[in-house]
Amino acid sequence: MNGYQITFFTRQDRLHGGRPLAEWLLHLAAELGLQGATLIPASEGIGHDHRLHSARFFELAEQPQAVMMTLTTEETDDLFQRLRTENVHLFYTRTPVEFGSIGEPGTQG
C-alpha cells in the first residue's frame, strides 16, 4: 500500500483535553481505527522556541516525544480533519511511504 508516515513532535508536559498530548494522539489513533501508532520518547531535542528540552531528572516534564503513524491517504485526511476540529497546535512531518506486512501473523523469524 501507499500512504504517509506522519510524525508528530511534542513534549511530555503538553496537554490536550486534560491529558498528555502524545497520549491523546495514541487514543485518537485507536478511536479512528488506525492500524497503529508508536510513542517514541527522546532524551533531548530543540523545540520551536529554540531551547534545548531534555529528560533530565528534574525536567522530565520537558522530555521530547514523537508519535509516529503510517496511514493511507484517506486515514491521513481523516486524522488531520480531526486535529483541525480539535484545534490542536502541533508540529509534524508527512513523508510518502510504501507499507505493508510480510509473513504470517503469529510466526517468528
Side-chain angles (χ1 to χ4, degrees):
M1 283 193 277
N2 291 307
Y4 297 98
Q5 178 177 302
I6 310 295
T7 305
F8 297 102
F9 297 90
T10 187
R11 291 190 334 233
Q12 187 171 339
D13 62 345
R14 294 217 33 229
L15 302 176
H16 182 75
R19 68 171 21 153
L21 182 55
E23 179 184 317
W24 181 85
L25 286 167
L26 294 176
H27 287 276
L28 178 60
E31 179 185 321
L32 294 175
L34 304 179
Q35 294 182 34
T38 302
L39 171 61
I40 304 166
S43 58
E44 293 185 328
I46 301 291
H48 69 277
D49 57 2
H50 308 290
R51 288 183 44 235
L52 177 67
H53 300 279
S54 63
R56 308 253 187 251
F57 181 73
F58 293 108
E59 302 168 356
L60 287 177
E62 286 201 8
Q63 180 176 22
Q65 297 178 319
V67 177
M68 187 180 302
M69 305 176 187
T70 303
L71 311 170
T72 65
T73 300
E74 182 179 311
E75 291 170 331
T76 301
D77 293 343
D78 293 345
L79 174 64
F80 277 87
Q81 180 56 47
R82 179 65 180 274
L83 293 173
R84 283 189 289 276
T85 300
E86 293 278 343
N87 196 29
V88 176
H89 177 75
L90 194 56
F91 182 79
Y92 70 92
T93 60
R94 179 184 347 203
T95 307
V97 294
E98 177 184 324
F99 64 96
S101 298
I102 191 166
E104 295 295 319
T107 60
Q108 297 181 17

